[in-house]
Amino acid sequence: MKDYNYYKTISDICNEANDVYKKFKVEEIIPLNKIYLNHDADEGDSFILISGENKYLMVETSTDFYWVGSRLLLYDLNKIDGNFAKYLHDWDQNDHNGKWHKLFVFSYIEGEPLKDYLSKIDKNNAYNLGKEFGLTLKKVHSIEVDVSKHHISNWHSGYKWIQQDIIKKTISNATNEKALDYYKNNQDIIYQRYASSTYYCKEDGKYLFDENGNHVTEKVLSFIFHDINLQSLIVADGKVYVKCPVNVSIGDPFYDFKFLSLIALENESFATGIIDGYFEDKISKDFFKMLKYYTSELIIKECNKSLNEEIINKIYDSYDDFNLEIPKWYNK
């Protein structure tokens, strides 16, 4: 963990000439845990900014981070009353080595890590907590997407490059083999889901085409947090909050459930509640199919990183080695 001196000295942040000082009057910076970002493993250091009795959350990204698009998305996210930290400000900061960083500031939510909270409540309360969070997630996914403003690319065309990159770079081993085989053998699952209804019309009235000149159709995409996991969720006043929506993007809403199998390992009732709250007991026919596919991606990408063999084998067991469509932990 880099301390605040990584940004030269605390006086750089607190300097009266700095717009951050003018906006937040920073008096102290406290290093926090690292926040998962979808871009660079060296990014994501987070800090609490102290200003009198007020606290703010600051997150470091590099200037390569797609911050312009992220800022536009965060502005739109701020428009709804949801259980997530609000985007407040961003600015560039130079470090000792002359390298520029983009620093985002969010509201700070004082709460308890979800994992700790779940360990203290019964199954019924965990289920209801999950159900309420599922409704929050649905609310975010229902935000209208302005395609011309956000320059949305086609999801299945964009995800195709993710697929190819994962398959090309992944070395099969005893732990990831089942997930990798399933991932490879079901590459067309994204096209099957996203080639069945009308795509957003571009501003000039023209639709998107794939590399072969074929008309591409697409289902409605959603604002997604991209990292709904135990590390990104906290509980405050009995409700679940996303503590830092810095990874917000636009894509398949079901991609936000990618970490659900890991959440289920901690508390099956909470994970089940998220699904039931989100769909209000009318589950999309595509959901479990997509959940299974994105779970295989999770295993492949995190094998020997954040996931050890024991955890991965537990996920395999929940799907009977990917022979089940609906995981065992979904208690219905």
Side-chain angles (χ1 to χ4, degrees):
M1 170 69 73
K2 300 184 286 285
D3 64 19
Y4 58 73
N5 287 314
Y6 178 70
Y7 304 107
K8 292 189 176 178
T9 67
I10 193 169
S11 63
D12 291 323
I13 301 296
C14 302
N15 192 306
E16 293 187 23
N18 190 307
D19 67 330
V20 177
Y21 176 85
K22 295 175 184 176
K23 192 172 184 68
F24 300 104
K25 293 183 169 56
V26 179
E27 299 168 0
E28 184 181 1
I29 300 179
I30 302 174
L32 276 178
N33 57 298
K34 199 174 185 70
I35 290 176
Y36 168 81
L37 292 181
N38 294 303
H39 299 264
D40 189 330
D42 291 334
E43 299 177 311
D45 284 340
S46 67
F47 307 82
I48 298 177
L49 305 182
I50 306 294
S51 177
E53 296 182 355
N54 298 316
K55 295 181 180 179
Y56 307 95
L57 175 66
M58 182 177 77
V59 182
E60 174 216 346
T61 74
S62 75
T63 49
D64 294 332
F65 183 87
Y66 185 48
W67 63 269
V68 175
S70 296
R71 178 195 282 170
L72 291 175
L73 293 170
L74 289 166
Y75 277 136
D76 282 355
L77 196 62
N78 274 358
K79 293 176 183 177
I80 71 167
D81 181 21
N83 292 2
F84 49 84
K86 298 293 185 179
Y87 161 71
L88 302 175
H89 193 60
D90 63 79
W91 81 98
D92 294 325
Q93 180 71 32
N94 202 334
D95 68 16
H96 285 298
N97 299 316
K99 183 177 179 181
W100 286 95
H101 301 260
K102 175 63 68 174
L103 304 173
F104 284 87
V105 178
F106 296 88
S107 57
Y108 180 74
I109 301 171
E110 199 82 56
E112 182 177 6
L114 175 62
K115 183 176 180 179
D116 295 345
Y117 189 85
L118 289 173
S119 69
K120 299 185 295 187
I121 61 176
D122 61 28
K123 291 182 179 180
N124 186 59
N125 284 330
Y127 175 79
N128 289 330
L129 189 71
K131 199 168 185 179
E132 185 177 40
F133 181 67
L135 288 170
T136 294
L137 202 55
K138 183 177 181 179
K139 186 176 182 180
V140 171
H141 290 172
S142 299
I143 299 173
E144 185 176 352
V145 177
D146 186 331
V147 180
S148 60
K149 179 170 73 174
H150 297 301
H151 306 292
I152 308 304
S153 61
N154 177 276
W155 176 254
H156 77 71
S157 293
Y159 190 83
K160 176 181 65 180
W161 299 111
I162 296 176
Q163 287 176 320
Q164 292 178 359
D165 190 59
I166 289 173
I167 292 170
K168 180 180 179 181
K169 294 182 179 179
T170 302
I171 299 174
S172 180
N173 58 48
T175 306
N176 70 24
E177 182 180 10
K178 297 169 189 173
L180 186 58
D181 285 347
Y182 182 81
Y183 193 79
K184 288 179 178 178
N185 294 333
N186 292 274
Q187 291 182 61
D188 63 344
I189 198 169
I190 306 297
Y191 182 82
Q192 290 173 359
R193 170 164 160 75
Y194 278 94
S196 59
S197 71
T198 305
Y199 180 69
Y200 282 116
C201 185
K202 281 190 162 185
E203 191 174 17
D204 60 3
K206 296 180 180 179
Y207 289 87
L208 291 185
F209 293 83
D210 64 20
E211 65 271 20
N212 298 315
N214 299 315
H215 178 213
V216 174
T217 56
E218 180 98 72
K219 290 186 178 177
V220 174
L221 300 179
S222 302
F223 280 67
I224 60 175
F225 289 114
H226 231 285
D227 58 352
I228 297 299
N229 54 50
L230 288 170
Q231 289 70 44
S232 67
L233 301 176
I234 59 173
V235 179
D237 300 323
K239 295 182 179 180
V240 180
Y241 287 80
V242 179
K243 65 181 179 182
C244 180
V246 71
N247 285 316
V248 66
S249 61
I250 293 176
D252 178 3
F254 295 163
Y255 200 73
D256 256 349
F257 293 85
K258 184 174 71 170
F259 294 91
L260 200 57
S261 287
L262 293 180
I263 293 174
L265 290 180
E266 292 293 332
N267 195 297
E268 295 180 359
S269 298
F270 179 76
T272 297
I274 292 177
I275 295 173
D276 291 350
Y278 185 87
F279 291 104
E280 299 180 88
D281 297 322
K282 296 178 182 178
I283 299 177
S284 163
K285 63 180 179 63
D286 289 335
F287 174 71
F288 283 112
K289 178 171 62 176
M290 300 310 302
L291 176 63
K292 184 178 176 181
Y293 192 74
Y294 292 140
T295 300
S296 71
E297 180 204 304
L298 173 68
I299 292 173
I300 296 165
K301 293 177 73 173
E302 298 302 321
C303 181
N304 300 322
K305 296 178 183 176
S306 64
L307 301 185
N308 59 37
E309 184 177 356
E310 180 182 1
I311 292 174
I312 291 173
N313 283 333
K314 287 180 179 179
I315 298 175
Y316 283 146
D317 179 69
S318 72
Y319 276 103
D320 190 21
D321 292 340
F322 285 107
N323 290 311
L324 296 178
E325 197 70 16
I326 299 175
K328 296 175 185 177
W329 54 259
Y330 182 64
N331 296 315
K332 299 297 287 186

